Amino acid sequence: MTNQSAATPPPDSPDRDAPLVVIGEIRTGLVLNSRPLPAQRVAALLDIAPGERVRSYHRPVQRAVSADLLRGVDCPLFTGSGARTRGIGTFRGRACVVGGRVLLGSVRAVLARGGDRRRPWSHYVARPGVIEVTGKGRPADLTARFLTGADADSLDPGAVAEALISRVRASALLDHETAFRARPTRLRWAAEIADGPFEGGFTLVDDDTRVLRLRIPRTAGADTELITSLCEDLALHDWLLTTLGTVADRACTGSGDAVALRRLRPAIDHLVHLWMPGAAVAPSLLETWERLEERPGLTRQWDACVSRIRDHMALRTLEMLAASLPASLPAV
C-alpha cells in the first residue's frame, strides 16, 4: 500500500461494473475537544483537501463531511477458496463530524474486474475509488474473506481510516481534552448490488469490532455514495448506543452516588440528542436501513438505555431529597 494521498478529481461512475461490489471500513470515536465544536470550526477542521469544499448540513442534526482523499493500493488479495490474486487502484477516504462531537473516518472502494497485467498508474488514478482485481479473481468471491480481516497484508481500509482520524485529531483547532471517555469502534462492511432480494447481516465481533454484509437489489437505485452514507449512519448509531450503554452500566449499578451521577451528565449533554437513525440515509435506502436495524433493535436498545438513565437519575434525586429532610416533621 502506498503512502500518497491527494484530493480526488470529480467522481466517475464506477457503478458501470456489474455486479457492483463495494467494500469499506469506518472508525468512529470522539472529537478530542472538551466542548462540542461549532459549525464554522468543524468546517475548518475538515478542510483537509486544499481547494475542495467541506459539505455541511444543519438539519436535522449538525453534520459535516470533508472532501475525499485518495490512497493508492497494490496488494495481494485472497478469495474465499484461498486463491490469490491482486488488487490495484485507489481507496476514497473522508472524515465526518456529527454534532460537533463525534468523528468518523470512512474509507471505501469499488471492486472491479481488471485485466491479467498491471497497467500504468495513470489508468488507476483516472478511476478514483476503484480497485481492479487482476487475474481470475471475482470481486464477489473476495467479500467473505475481506470481512474476516484475516489477511493482514491484503486490503486494509481500516488503516487508511485510522490515518484520517489521526490527521484530524492532530489539528491545532482542538484542545485535545474530552468531557468523558469513550472507546472507538470499527465497522468493516461489504455491499453487493445485484439482482435478487435484499439480504443483510450486522455482527458484533467483539467490544470494538463490527461487520456488515449487504446485498442490495438493483431496483433500489443505490450507488456507492448512497451505500457509504448508509454504512456511516449505522456506524454512528452503533457507536452512540455502545458508548451510552457503557456509561449507563458504570453509573447505574447499585444505589449510585454523586460521582456516578456526574458521569452521566456529559453523555446526556453531548450524545442523547444525536440519536436520529436514518437522518443521513437516502429515501431509496430507508427500507434497507429499517430492515437492517430491525433484528438487532438498535432503537429499542437505545430507548431502553435512555429510560434506564432517566429512571436512575430520578430515583437518586428522590433519595437525596429524602435524606435532606428532617428525621421527623411536626404534625399539622
Side-chain angles (χ1 to χ4, degrees):
M1 183 178 294
T2 69
N3 293 321
Q4 297 179 346
S5 296
T8 65
D12 64 355
S13 299
D15 298 356
R16 64 177 176 267
D17 299 292
L20 177 64
V21 177
V22 193
I23 63 170
E25 188 161 324
I26 303 164
R27 302 291 177 94
T28 309
L30 279 174
V31 173
L32 295 183
N33 205 68
S34 55
R35 297 177 178 273
L37 296 177
Q40 187 174 6
R41 186 175 295 184
V42 169
L45 180 70
L46 295 183
D47 188 14
I48 58 178
E52 300 288 334
R53 183 174 63 91
V54 175
R55 290 176 290 158
S56 298
Y57 309 88
H58 299 280
R59 307 288 183 185
V61 63
Q62 180 186 322
R63 178 172 170 265
V65 183
S66 76
D68 282 344
L69 298 178
L70 291 184
R71 177 64 62 89
V73 294
D74 183 350
C75 61
L77 301 178
F78 302 88
T79 65
S81 63
R84 298 186 63 173
T85 180
R86 292 196 72 79
I88 310 170
T90 56
F91 278 120
R92 284 183 183 269
R94 66 191 186 191
C96 311
V97 172
V98 180
R101 172 51 69 196
V102 186
L103 173 63
L104 295 86
S106 177
V107 176
R108 76 278 189 194
V110 173
L111 295 183
R113 289 295 300 273
D116 294 330
R117 296 181 181 180
R118 194 185 192 284
R119 301 186 183 186
W121 189 246
S122 58
H123 166 79
Y124 303 105
V125 173
R127 303 186 71 194
V130 176
I131 296 175
E132 294 189 6
V133 180
T134 63
K136 298 181 180 180
R138 296 174 59 85
D141 296 336
L142 297 168
T143 56
R145 185 70 175 255
F146 165 75
L147 289 176
T148 67
D151 305 310
D153 297 329
S154 190
L155 290 176
D156 188 7
V160 184
E162 192 62 36
L164 272 172
I165 286 181
S166 297
R167 178 173 178 175
V168 172
R169 284 179 167 171
S171 173
L173 294 171
L174 303 176
D175 61 23
H176 301 98
E177 298 180 2
T178 58
F180 59 97
R181 293 183 179 181
R183 296 180 64 171
T185 59
R186 55 188 292 241
L187 171 67
R188 176 165 283 206
W189 60 272
E192 179 181 355
I193 298 180
D195 298 325
F198 164 83
E199 294 179 9
F202 178 61
T203 304
L204 302 183
V205 178
D206 55 37
D207 291 342
D208 307 319
T209 306
R210 289 87 171 91
V211 168
L212 172 65
R213 182 165 190 169
L214 293 172
R215 181 185 177 91
I216 300 175
R218 295 185 192 277
T219 53
D223 58 16
T224 306
E225 176 66 24
L226 299 185
I227 294 172
T228 301
S229 294
L230 173 101
C231 295
E232 290 170 349
D233 201 64
L234 179 61
L236 167 67
H237 287 85
D238 170 71
W239 180 87
L240 288 172
L241 177 59
T242 300
T243 302
L244 192 68
T246 301
V247 171
D249 287 341
R250 291 174 180 171
C252 298
T253 302
S255 59
D257 53 26
V259 174
L261 291 179
R262 283 198 297 270
R263 291 193 188 122
L264 289 172
R265 179 164 184 172
I268 294 173
D269 289 346
H270 298 303
L271 300 184
V272 172
H273 67 287
L274 298 181
W275 186 265
M276 293 192 182
V281 178
S284 62
L285 286 178
L286 279 177
E287 183 178 356
T288 299
W289 164 261
E290 292 169 357
R291 294 182 63 180
L292 186 65
E293 194 270 349
E294 182 179 7
R295 172 168 290 185
L298 298 181
T299 299
R300 294 194 300 272
Q301 294 178 55
W302 177 265
D303 291 342
C305 187
V306 171
S307 295
R308 178 188 181 191
I309 290 173
R310 289 175 175 165
D311 290 346
H312 180 82
M313 294 184 70
L315 181 60
R316 181 56 182 158
T317 300
L318 290 174
E319 290 174 346
M320 293 171 66
L321 287 174
S324 67
L325 294 176
S328 60
L329 295 175
V332 176

